[in-house]
């Protein structure tokens, strides 16, 4: 990873931090849903790595499905424009839905997603987000599971990208600002 490391200003969460916290989240989700089966939905592409690790610590019958939503473009700032690029394969009706999200920033993506999925009559909808950014303006989103709070800086790794790069970093770090400013 030498080629990617040099673009990282500092590491926020190591590979070990992530593994430990994702394990705890999966165990908590298991405890909170006795006798239920889940439809775990991940928002592509950022959340795919988190979801893949998370479901392996959820000891319940579950189905995995994927949606692609765009609120960002290739830049580092939210555009506020949300649209569905790829819809689910499964039906949501009557299901216990768990949305696995990589990071809650402005909250626009999740706000839209929750509204959209609610209109499809699920039995319940909950959110597990790996990261919640400490931003000044964030839509009020009820996240039952939050992995870590993180500073309001642009971060990459463990699924998070800048212009589609750095998703394969095994840790999460702050991108050197001169790379996108
Ligand atoms: P929101 O709609 O502003 O909450 O943005 C959510 C989406 O923006 C996430 O799913 C990420 O894909 C992306 N995002 C937000 N902050 C960052 C960041 O610091 N690094 C990389 N992607 C980010
Ligand atoms: Mg992204």
């Amino acid at each position: 990873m030498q080629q990617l490391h040099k673009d990282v200003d500092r590491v926020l969460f190591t590979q070990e931090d992530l593994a430990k916290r994702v394990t705890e989240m999966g165990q908590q989700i298991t405890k909170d849903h006795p006798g239920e089966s889940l439809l775990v939905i991940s928002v592509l592409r950022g959340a795919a790595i988190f979801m893949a690790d998370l479901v392996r610590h959820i000891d319940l019958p579950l189905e995995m499905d994927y949606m692609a939503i765009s609120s960002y473009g290739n830049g580092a700032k939210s555009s506020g424009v949300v649209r569905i690029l790829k819809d689910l394969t499964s039906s949501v009706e009557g299901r216990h839905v768990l949305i696995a999200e990589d990071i809650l920033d402005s909250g626009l993506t999740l706000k839209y997603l929750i509204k959209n999925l609610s209109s499809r009559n699920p039995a319940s909808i909950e959110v597990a987000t790996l990261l919640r950014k400490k931003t000044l303006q964030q839509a009020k989103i009820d996240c039952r599971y939050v992995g870590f709070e993180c500073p309001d800086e642009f971060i990459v790794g463990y699924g998070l990208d800048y212009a589609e790069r750095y998703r394969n970093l095994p840790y999460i770090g702050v991108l050197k600002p001169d790379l996108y400013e």
Side-chain angles (χ1 to χ4, degrees):
M1 291 288 155
Q2 285 313 316
Q3 283 200 55
L4 303 182
H5 283 326
K6 66 175 175 20
D7 294 347
V8 175
D9 194 49
R10 65 185 200 280
V11 176
L12 290 179
F13 306 108
T14 64
Q15 198 167 353
E16 292 73 30
D17 295 336
L18 293 167
K20 181 167 176 277
R21 189 69 189 117
V22 172
T23 301
E24 288 168 0
M25 291 175 84
Q27 289 170 344
Q28 191 62 52
I29 291 165
T30 306
K31 250 192 219 157
D32 292 344
H33 298 273
E36 280 179 23
S37 64
L38 302 179
L39 173 60
V40 186
I41 295 174
S42 129
V43 185
L44 295 173
R45 296 172 243 182
I49 289 182
F50 168 52
M51 179 186 182
D53 284 345
L54 181 67
V55 292
R56 282 177 281 180
H57 297 286
I58 301 178
D59 189 7
L60 297 169
L62 61 80
E63 197 179 326
M64 295 159 73
D65 204 349
Y66 304 89
M67 253 178 123
I69 274 185
S70 118
S71 74
Y72 260 58
N74 263 355
K77 271 232 154 77
S78 182
S79 67
V81 179
V82 179
R83 63 195 173 102
I84 294 184
L85 305 176
K86 182 216 167 288
D87 208 341
L88 299 172
T89 307
S90 310
S91 165
V92 161
E93 181 145 10
R95 309 291 301 276
H96 293 289
V97 171
L98 179 70
I99 301 173
E101 180 55 311
D102 51 0
I103 183 166
L104 177 64
D105 184 8
S106 71
L108 291 173
T109 307
L110 273 173
K111 195 177 167 189
Y112 171 84
L113 197 65
I114 291 167
K115 193 173 157 218
N116 182 290
L117 294 177
S118 300
S119 72
R120 307 184 197 188
N121 301 316
S124 63
I125 299 190
E126 289 177 347
V127 176
T129 186
L130 178 64
L131 302 161
R132 183 163 59 194
K133 235 188 226 189
K134 288 205 179 101
T135 49
L136 291 175
Q137 288 192 320
Q138 192 171 74
K140 271 218 157 55
I141 304 288
D142 183 17
C143 287
R144 181 156 187 194
Y145 307 98
V146 178
F148 299 100
E149 304 283 345
C150 73
D152 189 8
E153 290 176 89
F154 199 80
I155 61 180
V156 293
Y158 195 71
L160 291 158
D161 73 304
Y162 173 63
E164 296 307 325
R165 290 177 56 201
Y166 308 105
R167 294 194 198 274
N168 53 329
L169 273 178
Y171 57 83
I172 290 178
V174 177
L175 189 65
K176 285 183 180 161
D178 55 293
L179 290 168
Y180 61 87
E181 264 166 2

